Amino acid sequence: MNILVTGGAGYIGSHTCVELLKAGHEVIVFDNFCNSSPESVKRVQQITGKTLSLVKGDIRNREQLESVLREFKCEAVIHFAGLKAVGESVEQPLMYYDNNVVGTVRLLEAMQATGVKTIVFSSSATVYGDPQYLPLDEAHPLSASNPYGRSKIVIEDMLRDYYRAHPDWKIALLRYFNPVGAHESGLIGEDPGGIPNNLMPFVAQVAIGRRERLNIWGGDYPTPDGTGVRDFIHVVDLARGHVAALQALDAPQCFAVNLGTGVGYSVLDVLKAYEKACGKTLPYAIAERRPGDIASCYANPAEAKRKLGWEATLGLEAMCADSWKWQQMNPNGFKA
Ligand code: UD1
């Protein structure tokens, strides 16, 4: 299939392009590089030995999207393009609604105009809010405590509404848990600008000596060791989930599935596993809780297995080893 991948130069997007190319699809990346680099697209081609098409453009530009969908005869869209920093979304909510929500409206309009009716959307476990029960299944009520999370819920609602009006569409909403790790080649990985917000990129920078120590946000949560528990999923497993979702969209439908492992690890578990991977002791301090954080969050991945025939296969050891390989080979990310 010819697949338009919005945000295909980003962290999850680039890993998904590798899996799509490996599965024999034609890939057209559409990205404005606001939080990514064209270098990742080169690396994807290096890994796979295949070529893909790259178009620089903004998701809010409907005309450009339309002409790209037409020119490349796209049959499906995987939609990653969006902003994802929680703190920034609190400070600049309009920017989040504009990029994430308005951008998706423009994309759907362009798809409608060109007759492309298949879309896989990057949602997030953040749509569950503070869990009422664990593990989280897809029937758990949705809620959000910040504009980023709300933008994901709004887009999910919009896609469900759109499907009700256009029942010939094929729509998959993939709710990611905590993506970490990197491609085993060490050629692509997560390249956060500035100080990383997320745990594993921060730990990686401590390991490489760019940061003095990890601050653990809270040691008094009601968890086995007092630190937060999350469902970390290897980004390559996550990428494969997208190929499986496309395959599962063989008939009109709209569904949401969790992409997680079903296993929760604590912040300290991750730190210890990373120490093993890099062979160093990593300094840390227990600090105040980060506002808005929850104690525990992990998936019930049964629906993904049933619906997509997909399940995560890579464990915490591989997540840390691959992150460390990427970090060592690219101490400054994609910058030379
Ligand atoms: C965060 C976002 C979530 C988003 C996801 C994308 C918040 C509140 N949530 O999830 O909406 O979908 O990223 O990847 O930002 N931790 C530390 N020290 C650090 C960094 C993190 O102790 O320097 C802890 C956190 O307190 C948490 C765990 O590590 O317990 C995971 O944090 P993080 O990687 O930021 O992911 P989430 O907060 O789960």
Side-chain angles (χ1 to χ4, degrees):
M1 255 201 285
N2 294 357
I3 300 162
L4 183 75
V5 183
T6 75
Y11 173 47
I12 305 172
S14 58
H15 289 82
T16 301
C17 288
V18 168
E19 299 305 318
L20 289 169
L21 290 168
K22 278 169 62 180
H25 295 291
E26 297 292 323
V27 172
I28 302 94
V29 168
F30 186 88
D31 204 302
N32 68 358
F33 305 118
C34 78
N35 188 26
S36 64
S37 158
E39 178 63 23
S40 72
V41 176
K42 285 191 198 151
R43 305 268 183 100
V44 166
Q45 298 179 109
Q46 191 182 336
I47 290 168
T48 57
K50 298 187 176 183
T51 54
L52 52 72
S53 304
L54 175 60
V55 179
K56 183 175 180 186
D58 192 290
I59 190 71
R60 290 160 295 184
N61 186 340
R62 184 182 59 217
E63 287 74 31
Q64 192 188 5
L65 282 168
E66 264 190 52
S67 68
V68 171
L69 288 168
R70 279 208 180 87
E71 180 188 343
F72 292 94
K73 300 187 169 50
C74 296
E75 298 157 88
V77 175
I78 304 186
H79 178 33
F80 293 104
L83 302 176
K84 57 159 193 173
V86 173
E88 186 183 60
S89 81
V90 174
E91 282 152 26
Q92 301 189 64
L94 295 184
M95 191 166 93
Y96 273 69
Y97 286 108
D98 189 34
N99 275 276
N100 294 6
V101 177
V102 175
T104 305
V105 172
R106 295 286 99 86
L107 173 64
L108 291 172
E109 288 169 347
M111 290 174 69
Q112 189 170 27
T114 52
V116 181
K117 299 178 180 179
T118 302
I119 182 167
V120 176
F121 172 63
S122 290
S123 189
S124 166
T126 198
V127 299
Y128 296 122
D130 198 348
Q132 294 174 14
Y133 58 83
L134 290 167
L136 288 158
D137 57 35
E138 290 80 0
H140 187 283
L142 306 186
S143 81
S145 56
N146 59 68
Y148 161 72
R150 224 154 358 249
S151 76
K152 293 291 178 188
I153 295 180
V154 171
I155 297 166
E156 280 205 6
D157 283 337
M158 188 164 77
L159 285 165
R160 279 185 284 266
D161 285 340
Y162 192 84
Y163 176 73
R164 268 176 223 118
H166 301 270
D168 56 336
W169 274 51
K170 302 170 180 176
I171 301 174
L173 313 173
L174 305 184
R175 295 176 180 159
Y176 311 153
F177 281 70
N178 288 56
V180 295
H183 191 264
E184 61 178 0
S185 63
L187 288 170
I188 54 173
E190 189 168 10
D191 183 15
I195 302 170
N197 289 312
N198 296 118
L199 177 64
M200 196 167 292
F202 198 100
V203 172
Q205 292 193 2
V206 174
I208 202 86
R210 249 170 94 179
R211 313 269 163 213
E212 200 183 319
R213 60 155 199 272
L214 172 72
N215 285 313
I216 296 184
W217 308 129
D220 58 353
Y221 282 107
T223 59
D225 65 19
T227 67
V229 167
R230 295 291 183 275
D231 186 335
F232 298 95
I233 174 169
H234 197 295
V235 66
V236 170
D237 271 331
L238 192 69
R240 290 177 182 149
H242 293 73
V243 180
L246 266 184
Q247 222 155 26
L249 288 173
D250 54 356
Q253 59 195 304
C254 175
F255 66 84
V257 288
N258 290 337
L259 295 185
T261 66
V263 181
Y265 286 110
S266 75
V267 174
L268 278 171
D269 290 335
V270 171
L271 188 71
K272 296 298 154 202
Y274 214 96
E275 287 184 331
K276 250 187 166 170
C278 71
K280 302 178 190 187
T281 302
L282 302 175
Y284 72 92
I286 303 285
E288 291 289 296
R289 291 183 180 190
R290 182 170 67 179
D293 271 1
I294 54 181
S296 296
C297 173
Y298 49 92
N300 178 339
E303 180 65 6
K305 179 147 196 209
R306 192 189 68 76
K307 185 89 201 160
L308 313 181
W310 169 94
E311 62 186 327
T313 59
L314 300 163
L316 185 58
E317 204 178 315
M319 300 178 208
C320 295
D322 293 335
S323 159
W324 179 231
K325 185 170 185 187
W326 153 255
Q327 183 65 55
Q328 280 180 294
M329 284 173 62
N330 309 271
N332 299 309
F334 288 112
K335 284 186 286 296

